[in-house]
Amino acid sequence: MAANYDSLIRRAVPRYDEMIERLVSHLPVDALRILELGCGTGNLTLRLLEQFPSARIVTVDAAPEMTSLAAARARERGWGARLECLTARFEDLSFAPGSFDLVASCMSLHHVKDKRPLYRGINAWLRPGGWLCFADQLLGATPEIQSEFWRAWLAFCREPGHCTEEEIASLEAHAAAHDHYEPLTSHFRMLEEAGFATMDCVWRNHMYAVVVGGHQ
Ligand SMILES: C[S@@+](CC[C@H](N)C(=O)[O-])C[C@H]1O[C@@H](n2cnc3c(N)ncnc32)[C@H](O)[C@@H]1O
């Protein structure tokens, strides 16, 4: 399952590894308490454990097979003691105020329909001066921009060695059923309403973006 997932995400998300590296390069260097939203098979989780050797990481995913796999991969590398894996929905999370220095996420927040309560929660869970940093798929600002993004994504999927037409149909059906994309300006507005003081988009490739928000 992991091999399939990790192969598909790289064949269906243009410049996936570059996006993760750009996210990691914008994380605050002194983070010791990190919350990750949506570990999946643990691609970002393992990078966080590697990048922050003194940090403790709590990672959350609604799918128990994903949290077990991320935990197993961390244990294999000797990092298991620094990782706590919670099987839960982001919408149901609750932590004490100021619990984390950093909240990070990759390709997971677009699964949340109404991001406003989650952004308010994240702002409360961060310590003053903490950061939310995420990579995700966004909506174009106009229908024309969005259709150009989608056209470019389909062209990437159809490159030799990438996705079959069956996989593309399945990805499009999954997106229609489960994904809730927002334009960058909406993310900024929701982050500001949630109490974030600083916001930027530090990397962009068509639909895909790395966004950072600083707690005041
Ligand atoms: C596309 S995967 C990304 C995983 C990983 N971060 C990566 O880059 O490969 C999205 C993950 O978010 C999880 N997820 C989706 N909606 C969720 C929710 N509402 N609460 C918790 N986990 C959720 C899914 O189970 C899945 O593992």
Side-chain angles (χ1 to χ4, degrees):
M1 192 226 12
N4 271 347
Y5 177 90
D6 286 341
S7 155
L8 183 62
I9 201 151
R10 287 177 173 85
R11 289 183 285 115
V13 176
R15 296 159 63 186
Y16 172 73
D17 290 296
E18 177 189 325
M19 181 170 70
I20 289 194
E21 285 314 307
R22 187 57 68 94
L23 171 63
V24 169
S25 76
H26 278 277
L27 301 179
V29 291
D30 54 352
L32 291 174
R33 301 168 304 158
I34 301 175
L35 172 65
E36 185 200 13
L37 298 176
C39 57
T41 57
N43 293 331
L44 178 61
T45 322
L46 296 179
R47 279 298 285 118
L48 293 171
L49 286 160
E50 182 185 30
Q51 188 78 10
F52 297 92
S54 305
R56 299 189 69 78
I57 299 178
V58 177
T59 195
V60 180
D61 201 292
E65 60 275 31
M66 292 300 197
T67 41
S68 338
L69 190 54
R73 282 178 147 184
R75 277 196 305 273
E76 271 167 27
R77 287 162 178 79
W79 297 330
R82 293 194 289 119
L83 180 67
E84 183 184 355
C85 293
L86 302 179
T87 301
R89 290 178 59 74
F90 309 141
E91 294 86 337
D92 300 332
L93 290 174
S94 167
F95 297 101
S99 295
F100 298 102
D101 306 313
L102 165 67
V103 176
S105 183
C106 181
M107 291 297 294
S108 297
L109 298 184
H110 65 265
H111 292 298
V112 177
K113 188 169 182 188
D114 183 2
K115 293 167 209 4
R116 281 168 292 202
L118 181 62
Y119 283 168
R120 281 196 294 274
I122 293 170
N123 190 263
W125 308 330
L126 283 170
R127 69 159 168 81
W131 286 86
L132 163 65
C133 301
F134 66 90
D136 206 359
Q137 192 169 333
L138 309 187
L139 190 69
T142 65
E144 292 75 21
I145 294 171
Q146 178 60 18
S147 35
E148 175 51 22
F149 284 172
W150 208 261
R151 190 206 56 73
W153 171 70
L154 285 171
F156 174 84
C157 290
R158 292 193 170 115
E159 282 178 24
H162 288 188
C163 303
T164 62
E165 287 304 320
E166 201 180 7
E167 284 173 325
I168 292 172
S170 157
L171 289 166
E172 290 199 292
H174 180 90
H178 301 290
D179 292 357
H180 307 282
Y181 312 122
E182 296 282 349
L184 181 61
T185 48
S186 301
H187 280 280
F188 284 168
R189 198 164 34 248
M190 290 186 285
L191 288 168
E192 193 167 28
E193 282 168 12
F196 285 87
T198 315
M199 282 141 266
D200 210 338
C201 174
V202 294
W203 182 90
R204 185 93 195 225
N205 177 42
H206 294 128
M207 296 192 280
Y208 301 92
V210 175
V211 176
V212 297
H215 187 287
Q216 45 202 351

